[in-house]
Amino acid sequence: MTDAVTEFDPCDPVEAYVRPIRSVLFIDDQFPTFADTSDSTFKEADRARALWLECTKRGWLCDIDNSHDWASPGRKQRLSACDLLVLDLHLQGQDSRPALSIIRGLACGDAPNLVVVYTADPKPDQAFLAVAASAHGVSADAFTAELDTEVEEMAVPWSIDDILSFLEDRPRWMGTYTAACKAARLPVDRSSGKVLFGRWISRNFGVSPDERLLTIEKIRCSDNRWFQCGNLFVVLISKTYEQPGDEARSVLAGLESAIADWSPSWLACLVASTRRSVESGSFRDDVNLPPEPLQAGLLRYLRESEDVEERARRAREVASHLLARRFGNATNDMSAQLLRRAEPNPNSSLSGDDDQAQMLHLNAFLCSEVFTRHHLRVGSVFKARDTETYWVCVTPGCDMVPRTPVASVNPWVAELDPMRPLTALRLEVRRGKGITDSLEKAERGRHIFFADPIQPSSQPIVAACFNTSTDDPNPRLEQMFALDRARVNDGKVRLQRCIRDPLSGNVVLESVDCEVVSQLRTPYAERLAHVVGYHLSRIGVNFLQSGAHTPEEQDSIL
């Protein structure tokens, strides 16, 4: 009988993160390198050979090094270039600082790294926490801040769970600190507690002060010892082998077990598994790339506008277009796997809260996207700073382009320039039962759903655009005037809105500092503009005409 061939599942964590591995670097001060093969001081040649053979069985390239100094740019490049790093915790006798320095450097870098740290330390939990604390870092405040003598000398019985919560930026450790303060009859101060805990971690795990702190996003210290910090995933394996071959299998099996335990989201796995298909055809110009005339035309498109911000927008548009074409095959592969993942599961069941959360996030995804423009446009959602008052712009996009207005076309706008008049719908944020009601009536088009990255809550915002107490849409329109032709700088824009002065009874302008939080997708934005009275044909189409045109002439064409 032949062994059954299992189908590759890109949504499986082990398949997604282990299958793409192509190169492995082993760092152990007891291993011989190619240049050291004749040196009899290295006693671990059999171990190195067993690890090398295990990698070659999997088709991986394998390199071995015994250095403890990896501070030079060339050596740092070697670390970031390998797909898997297997690192001995003690690279200089019993000194773990060189290895911890490597971990810290990888955690602060941008390249993704899988790391297996293996050690014969009789206290593996202590060794693991030292590695995790090195990746996290300790604030320099732990060494410069002043503490009361009573607080500094207080012996707090920190547990492993306290340490894990501190590294994950969870509040659990505060309970232990609070109890210790009450027992010593001292006031409870969170900032002093963080300084005290930081000093304790630095003293016990040998972590140097650093201005940059990195949150450990997921960590496990039990049968599997692993943590994920940004682009870094680290597994700690104890040296419990009897034969060199046992160690090789233990290292790689431990990596796979930890990744399975980590269980990243299926979307993260899917993105990771597209690596090879993305790299396919990297040297070829004819793979999903536009013909040469279009390539030249796209560069011409970038040069046509003299407005710096508009050129930047066009550059983003062209880059997005090219990436979509270039990685079309990878996109098709991913969409096929998404369809497989979306097959009905008769065994799945959702609670009411789970169902509501899913529909909120789904509607926000379908309705809105991240704001990337340099000026307000139709569908831009903004709010008054430090409040929860939101508006959405419903003025047609062609009227919001930050260009010099032509007096013969629109004398009022030309007289107001650089103030830009716009009409906005004031939104009514729904909460509690209002959210449930909005989801039940979502298809009636009375609400919009969007994410506000400024809000501490990760839940999307549900807002009514019209009067929901009636069947007919009654828009809550407001006249506003945006400064600097409605340009958005660092996510912020300043507007003036018409209000009634309670003293004089006259209409006056109130200045409002606003933050742009989201952008409605085109169909939703245009529908709002249409409902409030702006005909869809007013939305400009950005064709270019052959021949010489000044930017002003081109704008008049649009």
Side-chain angles (χ1 to χ4, degrees):
M1 291 179 62
T2 58
D3 294 336
V5 178
T6 58
E7 186 177 359
F8 168 57
D9 182 4
C11 296
D12 178 80
V14 176
E15 292 277 7
Y17 289 90
V18 176
R19 188 182 180 105
I21 291 176
R22 294 179 297 185
S23 60
V24 185
L25 174 60
F26 289 93
I27 304 179
D28 192 322
D29 61 335
Q30 297 299 312
F31 282 176
T33 66
F34 180 79
D36 302 318
T37 52
S38 62
D39 194 332
S40 60
T41 60
F42 293 97
K43 307 297 184 182
E44 303 289 352
D46 289 342
R47 287 180 53 222
R49 182 173 184 274
L51 289 165
W52 180 83
L53 287 173
E54 188 67 27
C55 290
T56 57
K57 287 180 183 178
R58 295 172 175 245
W60 298 343
L61 295 173
C62 181
D63 190 13
I64 296 175
D65 204 303
N66 50 38
S67 174
H68 61 82
D69 183 8
W70 292 83
S72 67
R75 287 186 170 273
K76 287 182 178 179
Q77 176 63 25
R78 285 183 63 194
L79 291 172
S80 61
C82 67
D83 297 320
L84 172 63
L85 172 63
V86 183
L87 176 66
D88 184 17
L89 183 58
H90 301 101
L91 294 179
Q92 205 171 12
Q94 293 302 308
D95 190 355
S96 62
R97 286 177 297 178
L100 297 182
S101 178
I102 291 174
I103 293 296
R104 177 62 180 173
L106 293 175
C108 293
D110 296 327
N113 283 99
L114 291 176
V115 180
V116 174
V117 176
Y118 62 117
T119 178
D121 195 312
K123 297 180 179 179
D125 286 347
Q126 185 82 0
F128 173 71
L129 292 173
V131 175
S134 297
H136 177 274
V138 172
S139 172
D141 291 344
F143 298 86
T144 59
E146 294 184 2
L147 290 178
D148 293 337
T149 304
E150 295 85 355
V151 175
E152 191 168 8
E153 295 178 351
M154 186 170 57
V156 183
W158 305 115
S159 66
I160 289 180
D161 287 339
D162 290 329
I163 300 170
L164 297 180
S165 70
F166 186 81
L167 298 179
E168 288 185 286
D169 198 23
R170 291 185 290 109
R172 185 196 186 284
W173 64 272
M174 270 297 294
T176 303
Y177 172 68
T178 301
C181 287
K182 290 181 177 180
R185 296 184 178 180
L186 295 173
V188 178
D189 179 70
R190 179 181 176 84
S191 59
S192 296
K194 294 189 73 171
V195 170
L196 185 67
F197 206 167
R199 291 181 182 179
W200 185 88
I201 286 178
S202 177
R203 184 171 61 251
N204 282 268
F205 300 130
V207 182
S208 301
D210 198 328
E211 293 184 358
R212 182 179 181 186
L213 297 183
L214 306 174
T215 300
I216 304 293
E217 297 172 41
K218 289 186 179 180
I219 190 168
R220 181 69 56 84
C221 184
S222 54
D223 295 335
N224 284 318
R225 299 179 182 88
W226 56 265
F227 68 86
Q228 179 246 325
C229 177
N231 274 334
L232 179 67
F233 183 79
V234 178
V235 186
L236 187 126
I237 307 272
S238 295
K239 294 181 179 179
T240 57
Y241 59 89
E242 296 182 359
Q243 299 296 326
D246 296 336
E247 178 188 16
R249 288 184 288 272
S250 174
V251 165
L252 299 179
L255 171 65
E256 293 183 354
S257 175
I259 289 178
D261 193 35
W262 170 32
S263 187
S265 71
W266 60 274
L267 272 177
C269 293
L270 200 56
V271 171
S273 66
T274 61
R275 171 177 164 178
R276 288 190 176 180
S277 56
V278 164
E279 293 174 345
S280 175
S282 295
F283 290 175
R284 297 176 56 189
D285 240 10
D286 61 335
V287 179
N288 292 324
L289 289 177
E292 289 188 7
L294 178 53
Q295 293 183 38
L298 291 173
L299 290 176
R300 179 179 177 180
Y301 177 54
L302 300 182
R303 293 191 294 264
E304 285 292 332
S305 177
E306 294 183 358
D307 184 89
V308 175
E309 293 173 335
E310 174 61 15
R311 290 180 68 181
R313 185 201 67 78
R314 292 185 181 187
R316 290 194 300 269
E317 179 186 0
V318 170
S320 176
H321 171 75
L322 291 179
L323 287 173
R325 293 185 64 132
R326 169 62 185 81
F327 300 127
N329 289 338
T331 303
N332 291 336
D333 293 343
M334 181 181 287
S335 63
Q337 297 301 332
L338 284 172
L339 289 175
R340 287 181 52 193
R341 194 76 180 182
E343 292 179 359
N345 183 0
N347 298 320
S348 64
S349 59
L350 292 174
S351 66
D353 291 341
D354 290 339
D355 181 65
Q356 176 170 294
Q358 288 187 13
M359 295 308 298
L360 273 176
H361 283 273
L362 178 58
N363 279 336
F365 169 78
L366 296 173
C367 180
S368 61
E369 58 189 349
V370 175
F371 178 85
T372 59
R373 290 296 189 98
H374 61 276
H375 67 280
L376 292 179
R377 59 194 295 263
V378 61
S380 298
V381 181
F382 54 94
K383 73 172 183 177
R385 193 179 304 175
D386 302 325
T387 72
E388 291 192 8
T389 304
Y390 294 85
W391 293 270
V392 56
C393 175
V394 293
T395 299
C398 52
D399 288 348
M400 296 304 299
V401 177
R403 60 193 172 207
T404 302
V406 181
S408 60
V409 175
N410 198 328
W412 183 59
V413 174
E415 292 168 0
L416 289 175
D417 190 61
M419 298 284 286
R420 181 56 49 89
L422 65 92
T423 305
L425 276 174
R426 191 196 299 194
L427 303 175
E428 177 193 343
V429 177
R430 311 304 299 274
R431 296 180 177 85
K433 293 183 179 179
I435 295 177
T436 304
D437 181 67
S438 302
L439 287 172
E440 292 175 352
K441 301 176 180 177
E443 291 183 345
R444 298 187 182 182
R446 301 292 189 266
H447 307 85
I448 59 174
F449 303 79
F450 58 90
D452 181 355
I454 304 170
Q455 287 287 340
S457 172
S458 60
Q459 178 171 290
I461 303 293
V462 184
C465 306
F466 307 105
N467 187 344
T468 56
S469 63
T470 64
D471 290 334
D472 297 326
N474 296 296
R476 307 174 179 202
L477 295 177
E478 292 193 21
Q479 181 64 56
M480 294 185 171
F481 301 87
L483 278 66
D484 192 22
R485 298 178 179 172
R487 296 182 192 273
V488 177
N489 296 306
D490 194 26
K492 298 176 177 58
V493 62
R494 192 168 193 185
L495 301 105
Q496 292 185 336
R497 54 190 292 257
C498 295
I499 65 169
R500 176 182 172 276
D501 183 4
L503 297 178
S504 66
N506 297 326
V507 174
V508 296
L509 293 177
E510 175 191 52
S511 294
V512 184
D513 291 324
C514 293
E515 298 167 317
V516 185
V517 300
S518 187
Q519 174 66 43
L520 299 188
R521 297 184 188 273
T522 300
Y524 296 85
E526 291 183 350
R527 177 187 177 275
L528 285 183
H530 184 63
V531 169
V532 300
Y534 294 110
H535 196 274
L536 290 181
S537 63
R538 296 202 59 207
I539 305 301
V541 180
N542 202 17
F543 289 133
L544 293 180
Q545 181 173 327
S546 298
H549 286 289
T550 66
E552 290 76 14
E553 290 173 334
Q554 185 64 49
D555 285 338
S556 66
I557 294 172
L558 297 178

